[in-house]
């Protein structure tokens, strides 16, 4: 009697645990419970077809009813399918041979082994349901931001837990280079990818995705969330700098001002979240030349020559604007190219080539081609334009070593009878008046809103 009571308590606990599960609807719960009972019964008796199982998830209980055919005493061949008349009469005094007897079965009577088998089956089903529920829930939320707690920090990834204790992974490759987290700290990241290989859900997060920056703007700028302002393009080098092109369909709304906020109030939180990543916000335009010009801000472009077929652009600037267009470590021009999807080359604006000057490409037999390309990228296309710069300017602008610069200078100076002083500035040589101007006063490219967060 004591064992039966203990088994009954065990069964009750099993149902209670299952009832308290989250994210599992009532119909699914009933089906899983019934299937689990039938699996155990089928293993014990070879069939479950003569059993009716009634589940009451609200109360956490169940009933099992068995159907057996009444046969004469001594003719019972299968006690699961048949019952002797003498036994049947103790249950139903009015029964007769050949009729079906329906009686209630207490699962506890099947023994401890059956109960253990049921618990194991239910545990397996519950785990499977939880995994399916987790996968479906996160699959539907790919591209949204989630806040999770740092649980374990490894070399290649960080394990985080959501508010229900589910495992989330933030790979090192998806972390901002300057990210630093401690155990127990709350981290915001984008749900980037969800897989379910071998019914084992894996949720990957990202803080370097462009969509992470997009979602942060949607959270901070109500006009974007309401659809009044649209983010047309994003270019980003995580932890360093980003450019974002925005457009408003309402002429009364300044999209750049709305994104930046009063005294940078709106964008400041985004910059802080991205570890002081500088963000340039510019007005989007369908005019490719104007868009490229804005993307190169804070540099002021003089003229642009487009090649639509090759999606490339030659940008001409005043000498003092070249370094601004290129930016520190080439970040500005790289981001502008990413934002506009055009390959951009910058050139110093000159009226014409000195008859005594020589194109750098003419020195390809003496100077390595990659060095020439590095010089051209900083706006130097002729020998004299290089010689008019100091060694330090060349080293920094073209990222060349000191000895390389000295060798280049020696090769170039050998072509001229009069030595050009290295401390002369490019501005003394270049002509400020260019015939390549493509924008009128009204079309002067607007500068990007550039928030430098200290």
């Amino acid at each position: 009697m004591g064992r039966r009571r203990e088994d009954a308590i065990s069964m009750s606990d099993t149902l209670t645990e299952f009832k308290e599960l989250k994210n599992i609807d009532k119909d699914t719960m009933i089906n899983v419970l019934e299937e689990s009972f039938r699996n155990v019964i089928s293993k014990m008796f070879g069939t479950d077809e003569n059993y009716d199982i009634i589940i009451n998830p609200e109360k956490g209980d169940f009933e099992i009813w068995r159907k057996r055919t009444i046969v004469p005493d001594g003719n019972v061949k299968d006690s699961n399918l048949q019952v002797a008349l003498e036994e049947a009469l103790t249950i139903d005094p009015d029964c007769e041979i050949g009729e079906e007897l329906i009686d209630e079965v207490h699962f506890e009577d099947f023994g401890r082994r059956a109960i253990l088998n049921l618990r194991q089956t239910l545990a397996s089903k519950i785990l499977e349901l939880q995994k399916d529920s987790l996968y479906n829930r996160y699959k539907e939320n790919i591209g949204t931001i989630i806040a999770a707690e740092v649980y374990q920090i490894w070399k290649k990834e960080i394990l985080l837990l959501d508010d229900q204790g589910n495992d989330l992974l933030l790979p090192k490759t998806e972390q901002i280079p300057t990210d630093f987290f401690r155990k127990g700290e709350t981290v915001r990241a984008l749900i980037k990818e969800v897989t379910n290989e071998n019914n084992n859900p894996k949720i990957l997060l990202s803080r370097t995705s462009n969509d992470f920056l997009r979602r942060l703007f949607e959270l901070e700028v109500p006009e974007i969330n309401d659809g009044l302002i649209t983010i047309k393009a994003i270019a980003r080098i995580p932890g360093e700098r980003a450019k974002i092109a925005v457009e408003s369909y309402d002429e009364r709304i300044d999209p750049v001002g709305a994104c930046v906020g009063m005294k940078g109030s709106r964008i400041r939180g985004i910059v802080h979240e991205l570890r002081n990543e500088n963000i340039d916000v510019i007005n989007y335009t369908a005019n490719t030349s104007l868009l490229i010009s804005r993307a190169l801000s804070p540099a002021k472009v003089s003229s642009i020559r487009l090649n639509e077929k090759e999606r490339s652009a030659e940008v001409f600037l005043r000498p003092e604007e070249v370094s601004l267009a290129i930016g520190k470590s080439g970040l500005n021009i790289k981001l502008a190219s990413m934002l506009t999807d055009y390959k951009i080359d910058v050139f110093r604006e000159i009226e014409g080539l000195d008859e005594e000057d020589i194109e750098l490409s003419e020195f390809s037999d003496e100077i390595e081609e990659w060095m020439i390309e590095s010089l051209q990228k900083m706006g130097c296309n002729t020998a004299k334009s290089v010689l008019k710069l100091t060694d330090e300017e060349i080293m920094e602008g073209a990222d060349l070593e000191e000895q390389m610069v000295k060798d280049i200078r020696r090769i170039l100076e050998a072509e001229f009878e009069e030595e050009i002083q290295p401390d002369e500035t490019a501005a003394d040589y270049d002509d400020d008046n260019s015939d390549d101007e493509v924008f009128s006063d009204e079309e002067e490219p607007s500068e990007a809103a550039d928030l430098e967060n200290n």
Side-chain angles (χ1 to χ4, degrees):
M1 184 70 178
R3 174 175 294 184
R4 177 167 178 173
R5 178 174 297 177
E6 182 181 337
D7 292 342
I9 294 174
S10 178
M11 282 299 304
S12 177
D13 291 343
T14 298
L15 293 178
T16 301
E17 291 172 7
F18 194 80
K19 178 185 175 184
E20 292 176 352
L21 285 175
K22 298 178 180 179
N23 302 321
I24 298 179
D25 61 84
K26 181 179 178 181
D27 291 338
T28 301
M29 183 185 299
I30 293 174
N31 291 335
V32 169
L33 282 168
E34 181 176 347
E35 184 181 350
S36 298
F37 277 112
R38 289 192 177 279
N39 284 341
V40 175
I41 293 172
S42 181
K43 287 180 181 179
M44 291 182 63
F45 303 111
T47 181
D48 63 347
E49 293 181 359
N50 59 318
Y51 286 86
D52 288 328
I53 300 171
I54 302 173
I55 308 293
N56 188 346
E58 302 297 335
K59 295 181 179 180
D61 61 12
F62 62 95
E63 296 178 3
I64 301 177
W65 296 87
R66 177 177 53 182
K67 297 178 184 178
R68 291 182 293 176
T69 303
I70 301 174
V71 297
D73 296 340
N75 289 346
V76 176
K77 296 180 180 180
D78 187 339
S79 60
N80 182 50
L81 300 175
Q82 299 172 330
V83 58
L85 178 61
E86 182 180 357
E87 180 183 350
L89 290 172
T90 62
I91 300 172
D92 181 4
D94 298 327
C95 65
E96 297 179 359
I97 294 176
E99 294 181 345
E100 279 192 343
L101 176 70
I102 301 176
D103 61 329
E104 184 176 4
V105 177
H106 297 286
F107 194 83
E108 293 84 356
D109 294 338
F110 292 156
R112 294 178 63 85
R113 186 174 181 180
I115 294 175
L116 180 61
N117 194 352
L118 176 64
R119 288 182 65 88
Q120 291 174 340
T121 302
L122 276 176
S124 176
K125 294 287 185 183
I126 290 170
L127 182 60
E128 185 177 337
L129 282 173
Q130 288 176 328
K131 288 182 177 180
D132 288 342
S133 175
L134 177 65
Y135 172 75
N136 293 328
R137 178 159 60 90
Y138 274 94
K139 187 73 174 178
E140 293 173 357
N141 288 288
I142 287 179
T144 61
I145 290 179
I146 186 174
E149 180 181 324
V150 176
Y151 181 74
Q152 190 73 44
I153 300 175
W154 297 309
K155 185 176 181 180
K156 294 184 177 181
E157 59 190 5
I158 295 177
L159 174 65
L160 303 101
L161 301 180
D162 64 10
D163 55 2
Q164 295 182 3
N166 298 308
D167 293 349
L168 313 174
L169 292 175
L170 178 60
K172 187 70 176 178
T173 54
E174 299 296 333
Q175 298 173 34
I176 297 172
T178 51
D179 272 342
F180 178 77
F181 304 113
R182 293 183 177 87
K183 185 174 181 179
E185 185 177 352
T186 299
V187 176
R188 286 205 296 177
L190 184 89
I191 302 172
K192 182 180 180 180
E193 183 181 353
V194 182
T195 60
N196 195 28
E197 188 174 350
N198 297 324
N199 197 30
N200 185 27
K202 187 176 182 180
I203 299 104
L204 297 179
L205 307 181
S206 174
R207 285 172 53 82
T208 61
S209 168
N210 285 351
D211 284 334
F212 183 50
L213 177 58
R214 185 187 300 274
R215 297 292 177 254
L216 288 175
F217 267 96
E218 290 176 357
L219 292 174
E220 296 291 338
V221 184
E223 292 85 350
I224 294 179
N225 190 51
D226 294 339
L228 299 175
I229 295 176
T230 302
I231 298 176
K232 302 295 290 187
I234 293 178
R236 184 182 175 207
I237 300 176
E240 294 287 343
R241 193 170 179 179
K243 288 182 181 288
I244 177 170
V246 294
E247 183 180 35
S248 172
Y249 297 109
D250 190 334
E251 295 181 354
R252 297 169 298 177
I253 298 177
D254 171 20
V256 173
C259 290
V260 174
M262 186 69 68
K263 296 182 179 180
S265 58
R266 288 179 172 178
I267 204 172
R268 188 177 294 114
I270 300 175
V271 170
H272 178 72
E273 178 68 49
L274 300 181
R275 306 298 187 186
N276 293 331
E277 184 176 307
N278 294 326
I279 303 175
D280 301 338
V281 184
I282 68 171
N283 278 304
Y284 175 81
T285 174
N287 184 322
T288 304
S289 295
L290 184 54
L291 181 63
I292 292 175
S293 178
R294 290 174 178 174
L296 286 171
S297 181
K300 294 182 179 180
V301 174
S302 297
S303 63
I304 297 179
R305 186 182 301 157
L306 292 177
N307 186 326
E308 298 284 357
K309 184 177 181 180
E310 297 182 3
R311 295 192 69 80
S312 63
E314 294 180 348
V315 180
F316 297 89
L317 308 99
R318 292 165 60 89
E320 63 270 21
E321 299 292 334
V322 172
S323 60
L324 290 175
I326 296 174
K328 184 179 179 181
S329 302
L331 284 182
N332 197 56
I333 191 171
K334 182 176 182 180
L335 286 169
S337 181
M338 293 165 60
L339 188 75
T340 60
D341 196 27
Y342 267 74
K343 180 181 180 297
I344 301 174
D345 293 314
V346 298
F347 299 92
R348 290 173 180 264
E349 184 185 41
I350 55 177
E351 184 177 4
L353 182 65
D354 190 328
E355 292 182 359
E356 296 181 358
D357 206 349
I358 303 173
E359 291 278 358
L360 282 181
S361 57
E362 297 294 326
F363 294 89
S364 58
D365 56 338
E366 298 177 85
I367 302 175
E368 292 189 39
E369 188 172 341
W370 71 270
M371 294 184 183
I372 294 177
E373 290 179 355
S374 295
L375 293 169
Q376 290 174 334
K377 285 181 179 179
M378 63 177 293
C380 296
N381 300 291
T382 67
K384 287 186 177 181
S385 66
V386 175
L387 293 174
K388 289 181 180 294
L389 299 176
T390 64
D391 288 355
E392 290 73 16
E393 289 175 327
I394 299 173
M395 289 168 59
E396 182 178 354
D399 193 21
L400 299 175
E401 296 180 2
E402 183 177 3
Q403 187 57 49
M404 294 178 181
V405 174
K406 291 185 181 299
D407 290 341
I408 291 172
R409 185 179 295 282
R410 176 178 49 78
I411 293 170
L412 299 180
E413 287 178 344
E415 295 294 324
F416 301 98
E417 295 180 0
E418 297 182 3
E419 182 178 350
I420 301 178
Q421 298 300 322
D423 60 346
E424 296 181 46
T425 63
D428 294 330
Y429 174 70
D430 294 339
D431 193 323
D432 292 340
N433 298 319
S434 171
D435 295 327
D436 294 325
E437 196 77 40
V438 295
F439 298 109
S440 65
D441 292 339
E442 291 79 14
E443 296 170 306
E444 185 66 17
S446 60
E447 295 185 13
D450 182 3
L451 179 64
E452 298 290 340
N453 189 303
N454 295 321

